[in-house]
Amino acid sequence: MTDDRFHVYDTTLRDGAQQEGLNLTVADKLAITRHLDGLGVGFIEGGWPGANPKDTEFFRRARTELDLKHAQLAAFGATRRAGVKAADDPLVAALRESGAPVVTLVAKSHDRHVELALRTTLQENLAMIRDTVSHLRAEGQRVFLDAEHFFDGYKSNPAYALEVLRTAAEAGASVIALCDTNGGMLPDELADVVHEAVGTGARVGIHCHDDTGCAVANTLAAVKAGATHVQGCANGYGERSGNANLFTVVANLQLKRGFDLVPREALADMTRIAHAITEVTNVTPNSHAPYVGVSAFAHKAGLHASAIKVDPNLYQHIDPAMVGNDMRMLVSDMAGRASVELKGRELGYELTPETSRELVERVKELESRGYTFEAADASFELLLRDTVAGERRRHFSVESWRVIVERTRGGELISEATVKLHAKGERIVATGEGNGPVNALDKAVRAGLERLYPELAEVELIDFKVRILEGAHGTDAITRVLITSSDATGEWATVGVDENIIEASWQALEQAVTYGLLQAGHHAD
Ligand SMILES: [Zn+2]
């Protein structure tokens, strides 16, 4: 870390890990720490050593397994228990022995919480803070203090809340982070309280929860009021509605307020880092997340598309490349020729006016039958290629397919598929068995083609979505199938539509394989 004037403090591994359904192993925590260090945050709170064996283990392994470039680790823990010396409290000892250069102590600053939850006197709470902070300082650690329930405490007893802050600062805490623990604050009232706190002369930080949907706004308001230390969690993880999203906070402060918080190259890698962390947490990424969501810079309306083609900056608040994201055009029935041309250009095709007009007609006609290209980029690209070529080009053609589903005497369901294909001048008959008809068809196609195209072994079907669309004007309902496939180079989605679910699946599957072969560099005849 180069600059101590403003702190970016991550608490994903401690407060973020409180999110329902989120379970992190020590290895996961080490991986997330590396990602956050890659972003260039100043401090990473690793957990509560002594209170949680996994966290003790994290700090032990961090010493030998991590080589941090930017961040310092912080160990989280409480002030000493009432009535004992900090030097004699085993939980304080665990903080000392964690090896972390920073200790963040949580302390009560709300009078009612001191009396009801801690069951001690207001004076003893101040003594606990004074004793613990000065003890750890004397032992050579830097100390930050999280003033829990600070804003609610200030409402209940402002003099006492500010006394907690002064006591911690005088004992040697270098930052006192004011916590909106219940997350109920709004930006204007929060800013007033932060302003009062800054008036004590202590260095003030901010820790917000998103229960009012204002965690990021509250954090920015606190900074405006004089806070110089911001806490948050990767992807806004946290219990209830989550914590302030650290990525949004950093991007806002750096790109909108001119703060120099993380290296510019690291900020330009933020989208990748945000997604890499979701791979570790196994939490589905929020596609609408500000700055880093897949949809954060996606445009749909045809009306906008023609202007975007002239100047993309007219319709985006920043250049998405600054945070490592892309502008993406969605092809939809709202779109006209301009968005189709733009999408074509994004895929590397310059379309003639005639070709784009023809393509728009085909997209509109297919969308009226239930296809969607917004979520099926690969199907759109195949349609575009076919339109440009003036014919349908495929690596293989299909003579027929058949699937049977059998319920065995043991009650097991088995699907068996046979496909008859033509490829490279050969007629191929292949079979496949699977746990469902689509799985069986997928296996049969691969069995038939893998000898000619070994790269197919890399292609995996990773998601399969089915949606029943209401039939129009008394016709039967139709089924839309979206298939997502992947190989080492990336992911792609294809779409099929039919009254029959297996035919719809087959269409999406056939395109998925075709697109995979194109990705592997095979030209279609
Ligand atoms: Zn919290």
Side-chain angles (χ1 to χ4, degrees):
M1 221 198 53
T2 52
D3 193 341
D4 198 48
R5 281 176 296 176
F6 196 98
H7 294 167
V8 176
Y9 183 106
D10 178 86
T11 177
T12 306
L13 304 180
R14 201 269 309 170
D15 221 7
Q18 302 300 313
Q19 175 159 318
E20 210 177 332
L22 209 156
N23 281 303
L24 301 175
T25 64
V26 174
D28 292 340
K29 288 184 153 207
L30 291 166
I32 291 172
T33 304
R34 288 189 194 95
H35 287 308
L36 290 166
D37 184 50
L39 180 62
V41 308
F43 300 91
I44 298 170
E45 193 173 84
W48 191 332
N52 182 345
K54 248 190 344 190
D55 291 353
T56 309
E57 167 86 359
F58 168 82
F59 283 99
R60 193 183 60 71
R61 285 179 58 180
R63 268 182 265 177
T64 52
E65 295 178 36
L66 290 178
D67 177 21
L68 301 178
K69 303 278 182 289
H70 294 279
Q72 292 186 18
L73 288 183
F76 178 89
T79 50
R80 69 157 169 81
R81 280 172 298 139
V84 299
K85 284 188 184 146
D88 299 336
D89 189 317
L91 281 175
V92 176
L95 296 171
R96 223 166 41 221
E97 287 154 15
S98 68
V102 176
V103 171
T104 299
L105 290 173
V106 60
K108 304 268 182 220
S109 54
H110 187 309
D111 57 355
R112 308 248 314 140
H113 278 271
V114 173
E115 288 161 352
L116 295 177
L118 215 52
R119 295 189 186 184
T120 189
T121 64
L122 298 182
Q123 281 314 312
E124 173 63 6
N125 182 50
L126 293 176
M128 287 154 64
I129 293 169
R130 197 178 301 117
D131 184 20
T132 316
V133 173
S134 52
H135 170 70
L136 290 170
R137 291 284 293 118
E139 294 290 321
Q141 282 170 303
R142 194 174 186 192
V143 179
F144 298 163
L145 189 105
D146 273 0
E148 202 184 40
H149 295 288
F150 185 84
F151 295 94
D152 301 324
Y154 186 89
K155 279 181 203 169
S156 165
N157 185 343
Y160 186 72
L162 292 175
E163 191 55 31
V164 163
L165 203 126
R166 268 190 224 102
T167 302
E170 279 164 18
S174 50
V175 174
I176 292 94
L178 313 180
C179 302
D180 184 16
T181 309
N182 294 349
M185 294 297 287
L186 296 175
D188 47 2
E189 49 174 353
L190 176 132
D192 291 343
V193 179
V194 172
H195 186 77
E196 290 300 315
V198 169
T200 64
R203 180 170 182 178
V204 166
I206 186 73
H207 173 109
C208 294
H209 284 257
D210 204 28
D211 300 73
T212 58
C214 291
V216 170
N218 283 340
T219 304
L220 299 180
V223 170
K224 180 92 177 161
T228 54
H229 164 117
V230 290
Q231 300 197 359
C233 294
N235 299 316
Y237 295 145
E239 62 183 333
R240 308 189 310 274
S241 306
N243 283 54
N245 186 331
L246 196 75
F247 301 142
T248 316
V249 168
V250 166
N252 281 335
L253 288 174
Q254 187 142 337
L255 298 175
K256 311 278 180 177
R257 289 279 182 260
F259 284 76
D260 189 16
L261 302 181
V262 301
R264 187 196 286 240
E265 327 76 74
L267 190 64
D269 201 21
M270 193 164 76
T271 299
R272 185 195 63 77
I273 290 169
H275 287 86
I277 291 174
T278 67
E279 295 291 326
V280 181
T281 59
N282 205 18
V283 173
T284 311
N286 172 8
S287 61
H288 302 288
Y291 293 102
V292 300
V294 169
S295 300
F297 299 93
H299 299 271
K300 185 166 181 171
L303 188 69
H304 289 180
S306 53
I308 289 170
K309 220 172 74 172
V310 181
D311 183 359
N313 290 323
L314 288 173
Y315 289 93
Q316 55 196 20
H317 68 109
I318 57 154
D319 175 359
M322 295 172 102
V323 291
N325 211 335
D326 285 314
M327 188 184 78
R328 221 160 46 92
M329 288 304 300
L330 304 174
V331 179
S332 82
D333 55 356
M334 284 169 73
R337 223 179 76 196
S339 64
V340 163
E341 277 173 21
L342 209 57
K343 185 74 198 176
R345 195 177 297 163
E346 188 187 311
L347 296 172
Y349 298 87
E350 280 299 331
L351 300 176
T352 63
E354 300 79 65
T355 319
S356 50
R357 207 169 301 129
E358 192 186 332
L359 189 56
V360 169
E361 288 312 307
R362 296 183 72 173
V363 167
K364 284 187 172 164
E365 193 261 329
L366 288 166
E367 288 192 330
S368 73
R369 281 164 45 196
Y371 285 80
T372 176
F373 294 99
E374 264 172 56
D377 269 8
S379 288
F380 177 77
E381 188 168 346
L382 292 176
L383 186 69
L384 187 152
R385 292 174 68 99
D386 293 345
T387 309
V388 171
E391 61 178 348
R392 197 179 132 88
R393 290 186 172 168
R394 293 292 183 269
H395 304 84
F396 59 97
S397 64
V398 186
E399 184 184 308
S400 67
W401 56 258
R402 182 181 66 194
V403 192
I404 44 177
V405 181
E406 183 191 358
R407 187 172 187 277
T408 64
R409 294 172 72 122
E412 204 187 345
L413 284 171
I414 298 174
S415 298
E416 189 184 308
T418 305
V419 295
K420 296 177 184 171
L421 309 169
H422 294 265
K424 294 193 175 174
E426 292 182 33
R427 180 172 185 266
I428 301 159
V429 179
T431 60
E433 242 184 27
N435 52 20
V438 180
N439 185 230
L441 277 169
D442 182 42
K443 287 194 172 157
V445 172
R446 289 155 183 280
L449 295 176
E450 253 177 43
R451 186 172 48 82
L452 301 176
Y453 299 108
E455 295 90 342
L456 277 181
E458 303 289 312
V459 176
E460 235 184 309
L461 194 157
I462 57 171
D463 193 30
F464 179 80
K465 284 199 187 78
V466 178
R467 193 156 160 206
I468 310 297
L469 306 171
E470 286 299 318
H473 310 298
T475 58
D476 286 341
I478 49 170
T479 306
R480 177 202 287 159
V481 170
L482 280 167
I483 286 181
T484 307
S485 311
S486 75
D487 67 5
T489 62
E491 283 183 25
W492 60 93
T494 51
V495 59
V497 172
D498 198 84
E499 287 169 17
N500 184 296
I501 184 173
I502 299 177
E503 168 60 19
S505 308
W506 169 261
Q507 291 172 11
L509 191 62
E510 186 262 343
Q511 295 170 64
V513 172
T514 301
Y515 192 82
L517 292 173
L518 286 169
Q519 291 295 94
H522 292 289
H523 294 286
D525 308 316

